[in-house]
């Protein structure tokens, strides 16, 4: 067995958005609030990403690569991107998540296709996040009509710079986005790119090191100072990105009906940003543990063995805003199945549609091949792709 297969697969999140939308600001926020999570980053150029602090801690060589002046989507065969992902996903780096910051004029559909078709067993596509500038929304759509197409394939939309528009204007833009995005696509409001990292990836606990300060130590000290200053001026929870979100946990010792659970996922409300955990279906031939990962409307299942002595449980965490927690729990309770052993294999077809293609040489059954029949939620029309503009991305300029 390939030793890499014993490690969990690494989600790769595409961070897209037009010039000046605030992608780099959002990425810096993720880096500064990652806790103990190791984030690998692929960017077009370093721009205003906080490289100095990372260099001090010796993180730059292991967890960040650059394409220089090139655009990721220009590498049509994906070989260059594959090489970077191969480097970042090496077990020695212990990377937990990889974020690709696409050029402001990139075609994110091409990145999605490359990731879905990748044969690297260490990674999995983790969804596309589109950053939108609330203050320049109409002007951006006028300059870049392809905005509507990008929004149509986004799994999660961050409406950034909401501090620069009044409530009525924000409501108008959100109504426009509801019509441009696929049904159910969540829209998160943010200022200065401040969103909870848990909405995109799992966090690991950070523990302070001894001796020479690490990058984590430096960021933690800076964050402590900011929190102390903010609490004096704005109250204890001022500036906390997580304050607007609610988390609901569901645990079931009884198996879930795959059909009813897929129906629940298909009907999940737009305010439900993230679903993560493990599901026990118990259908004959599919008794393994199914990891579920959803960011916005992106959804994937990953079957794997139960640990030795591990209880056959379903354990889910749902993170959202403006959602009815008790109602969500009632819907999940209705997914319980007392007699899973009587279900036929066809009951799993809906789940298997969201299982990524196994690496070449392996066979996990009738999983959908994303390279041939992609998930409609992330299947862009290749006829709509356009050549990227060669102009540099002003979003990489400090202060964007």
């Amino acid at each position: 067995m390939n030793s890499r297969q014993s490690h969990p697969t690494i989600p790769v999140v595409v961070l897209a958005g037009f010039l000046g939308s605030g992608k780099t600001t959002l990425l810096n926020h993720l880096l500064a609030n990652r806790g103990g999570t190791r984030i690998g980053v692929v960017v077009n150029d370093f721009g205003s990403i906080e490289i100095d602090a990372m260099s001090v801690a010796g993180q730059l060589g292991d967890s960040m690569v650059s394409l220089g002046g090139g655009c990721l989507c220009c590498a049509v065969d994906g070989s260059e991107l594959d090489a970077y992902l191969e480097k970042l996903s090496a077990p020695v780096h212990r990377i937990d998540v990889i974020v690709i910051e696409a050029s402001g004029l990139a075609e994110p559909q091409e990145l999605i296709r490359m990731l879905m078709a990748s044969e690297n067993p260490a990674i999995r596509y983790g969804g596309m996040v589109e950053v939108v500038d609330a203050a320049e929304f109409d002007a951006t759509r006028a300059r870049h009509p392809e905005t509507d197409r990008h929004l149509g394939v986004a799994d999660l939309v961050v409406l950034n710079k909401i501090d620069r528009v009044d409530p009525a204007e924000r409501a108008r833009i959100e109504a426009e986005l509801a019509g441009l995005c696929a049904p159910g696509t969540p829209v998160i409001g943010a200022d200065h790119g401040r969103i909870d990292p848990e909405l995109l990836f799992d966090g690991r606990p950070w523990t302070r090191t001894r001796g020479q300060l690490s990058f984590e130590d430096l960021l933690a000290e800076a964050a402590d100072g900011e929190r102390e200053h903010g609490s004096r001026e704005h109250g204890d929870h001022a500036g906390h990105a997580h304050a607007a979100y609610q988390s609901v946990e569901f645990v079931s010792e009884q198996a879930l009906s795959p059909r009813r659970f897929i129906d629940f996922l298909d009907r999940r409300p737009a305010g439900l940003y993230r679903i993560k955990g493990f599901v026990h279906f118990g259908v004959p031939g599919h008794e393994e543990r199914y990891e579920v990962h959803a960011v916005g409307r992106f959804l994937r299942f990953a079957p794997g063995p139960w640990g030795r002595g591990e209880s056959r449980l379903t354990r889910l965490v749902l993170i959202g805003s403006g959602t009815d927690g008790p109602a969500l729990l009632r819907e999940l309770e209705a997914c319980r199945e007392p007699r899973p052993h009587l279900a036929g294999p066809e009951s799993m077809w809906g789940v298997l549609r969201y299982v990524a293609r196994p690496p070449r040489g392996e066979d996990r059954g009738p999983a959908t091949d994303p390279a041939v029949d992609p998930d409609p939620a992330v299947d862009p029309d290749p006829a709509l792709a356009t050549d990227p503009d060669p102009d540099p991305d002003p979003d990489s300029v400090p202060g964007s």
Side-chain angles (χ1 to χ4, degrees), residues 160-179:
N160 197 28
K161 306 183 185 180
I162 57 172
D163 54 312
R164 294 177 56 187
V165 297
D166 59 37
E169 176 67 359
R170 176 182 175 180
R172 180 190 71 82
I173 295 171
E174 289 177 341
E176 291 263 7
L177 290 172

Side-chain angles (χ1 to χ4, degrees), residues 25 33 50 59 103 112 114 164 170 188 276 313 322 391:
T25 303
N33 293 273
E50 297 162 355
Q59 301 293 317
S103 161
I112 294 171
M114 291 178 193
R164 294 177 56 187
R170 176 182 175 180
I188 302 174
K276 58 182 180 177
L313 292 174
D391 290 343

Side-chain angles (χ1 to χ4, degrees), residues 86-372:
E86 181 79 14
K87 172 186 175 182
L88 287 174
S89 61
V92 67
H93 300 315
R94 298 179 291 112
I95 296 294
D96 298 303
V97 61
I98 297 172
V99 178
I100 299 178
E101 183 192 0
S103 161
L105 293 171
E107 281 294 336
Q109 296 97 322
E110 294 307 311
L111 288 176
I112 294 171
R113 286 193 185 280
M114 291 178 193
L115 293 170
M116 297 286 279
S118 174
E119 295 183 357
N120 183 345
I123 65 168
R124 56 182 167 85
Y125 175 57
M128 184 190 116
V129 180
E130 179 80 6
V131 184
V132 174
D133 184 342
E136 298 291 332
F137 178 68
D138 294 327
T140 300
R141 290 185 69 199
R143 287 195 306 268
H144 303 287
E146 62 270 33
T147 299
D148 295 2
R149 184 172 71 252
H150 295 182
L151 288 167
V153 298
D155 299 300
L156 187 68
V157 175
V158 176
L159 182 60
N160 197 28
K161 306 183 185 180
I162 57 172
D163 54 312
R164 294 177 56 187
V165 297
D166 59 37
E169 176 67 359
R170 176 182 175 180
R172 180 190 71 82
I173 295 171
E174 289 177 341
E176 291 263 7
L177 290 172
L180 295 170
C181 299
T185 303
V187 177
I188 302 174
D191 63 88
H192 298 88
R194 292 193 289 257
I195 66 170
D196 191 337
E198 284 282 331
L199 298 180
L200 303 183
F201 51 79
D202 292 337
R204 285 200 314 189
W206 166 80
T207 55
R208 188 175 295 274
T209 59
R210 294 183 178 181
Q212 184 177 2
L213 288 178
S214 70
F215 181 47
E216 298 285 0
D217 295 319
L218 295 172
L219 290 176
E221 288 191 353
D224 288 342
E226 289 181 4
R227 277 194 293 270
E228 182 179 353
H229 177 73
S231 63
R232 288 196 301 264
E233 294 191 354
H234 305 291
D236 290 342
H237 293 280
H240 287 200
H242 62 77
Y245 310 125
Q246 301 90 40
S247 177
V248 174
E249 183 174 355
F250 172 77
V251 179
S252 174
E253 296 183 359
Q254 201 169 65
L256 299 192
S257 161
R259 285 175 170 161
R260 291 197 292 274
F261 187 57
I262 286 294
D263 286 343
F264 165 79
L265 294 174
D266 286 343
R267 293 181 287 101
R268 62 191 187 273
L272 187 54
Y273 303 135
R274 179 94 193 278
I275 302 173
K276 58 182 180 177
F278 302 95
V279 185
H280 172 48
F281 294 115
V283 174
H286 302 278
E287 292 93 347
E288 60 262 71
R289 184 180 72 170
Y290 279 78
E291 179 184 1
V292 60
H293 168 76
V295 172
R297 64 194 182 93
F298 171 77
L299 174 65
R300 275 291 175 269
F301 286 95
W306 295 94
R308 179 176 298 180
E310 183 178 3
S311 300
R312 270 52 172 172
L313 292 174
T314 290
R315 185 181 295 274
L316 298 170
V317 176
L318 300 89
I319 304 173
S321 175
T323 54
D324 185 339
L328 291 175
L329 291 176
R330 285 194 297 271
E331 291 188 54
L332 287 170
E333 293 281 354
C335 294
R336 295 179 188 269
E337 175 52 63
R339 297 182 295 177
H341 58 284
L342 298 181
E346 69 279 0
S347 66
M348 288 293 296
W349 288 352
V351 172
L352 296 179
R353 179 170 174 254
Y354 295 101
V355 173
R357 178 184 60 178
R360 183 172 296 177
E362 297 182 19
D363 185 8
R364 280 201 306 239
T368 298
D369 183 343
V372 177

Side-chain angles (χ1 to χ4, degrees), residues 54-68:
M54 298 184 73
S55 299
V56 168
Q59 301 293 317
L60 183 58
D62 289 346
S63 59
M64 180 177 285
V65 293
S66 172
L67 287 179

